[in-house]
Structures are given as C-alpha cells and as structure tokens.
C-alpha cells in the first residue's frame, strides 16, 4: 500500500525568499522556482510512496529572505493504515 502526497507553497517578496521543505526538521527540498515577475517564489513538494514510517511526520515549508524573520507553515501526515 503506497500513497503519493503533493503540497504546494508560494510566497512573494522583495527580495524574493528562498523556500525550503523540511520533514521532521530535516531539510528535504531546497529547490524553488521564481515567477516571471521575479517576486513570487514556488516550491512544490511531491512525496511518493508514503508508508507507515511517514505516519505523524511533520512537513514544514520555510520562506526566508534573510532580511525579516522566516515564515513557516507545517502539516502533519496522518495515514489510515490497514
């Protein structure tokens, strides 16, 4: 039994922030894309093949432009395994 998981995070600012994804406080994705206006930043996270070991994991996206305090948003993975 495997499940895929997709999360999207975008933020805008000047200067544009760097977006990073963390899983249980470990960096898992530092890639991001800049929009054509160079103000909006996107980072889509896809986790393929979630298993029981992912249960209760915390995924956090952080936006940081090194000028202001970083902004973070988190979700918890809840899987109903049978």
């Amino acid at each position: 039994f495997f499940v895929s998981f997709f999360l999207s995070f975008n933020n805008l600012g000047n200067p544009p922030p760097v977006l990073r994804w963390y899983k249980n406080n470990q960096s898992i994705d530092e890639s991001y894309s800049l929009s054509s206006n160079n103000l909006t930043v996107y980072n889509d996270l896809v986790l393929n093949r979630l298993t029981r070991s992912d249960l209760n994991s915390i995924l956090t996206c952080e936006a940081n432009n090194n000028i202001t305090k970083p902004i973070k948003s988190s979700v918890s993975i809840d899987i109903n395994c049978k």
Side-chain angles (χ1 to χ4, degrees):
F1 173 73
F2 298 104
V3 175
S4 294
F5 191 71
F6 174 82
L7 285 173
S8 183
F9 187 74
N10 63 62
N11 200 316
L12 48 99
N14 191 9
V18 172
L19 301 183
R20 290 186 180 93
W21 280 102
Y22 297 88
K23 181 178 175 186
N24 299 327
N25 296 317
Q26 299 280 327
S27 179
I28 58 171
D29 185 355
E30 295 185 13
S31 65
Y32 57 91
S33 301
L34 201 55
S35 68
S36 60
N37 66 7
N38 290 333
L39 294 178
T40 305
V41 182
Y42 301 90
N43 187 329
D44 296 333
L45 178 67
V46 178
L47 298 177
N48 291 308
R49 301 178 56 102
L50 294 178
T51 65
R52 291 180 193 274
S53 65
D54 295 303
L55 182 64
N56 296 321
S57 292
I58 304 295
L59 297 174
T60 302
C61 189
E62 176 186 79
N64 188 352
N65 67 1
N66 292 320
I67 293 175
T68 60
K69 184 177 177 180
I71 297 171
K72 296 180 183 182
S73 184
S74 298
V75 296
S76 175
I77 298 176
D78 184 13
I79 302 171
N80 292 321
C81 301
K82 294 184 179 188

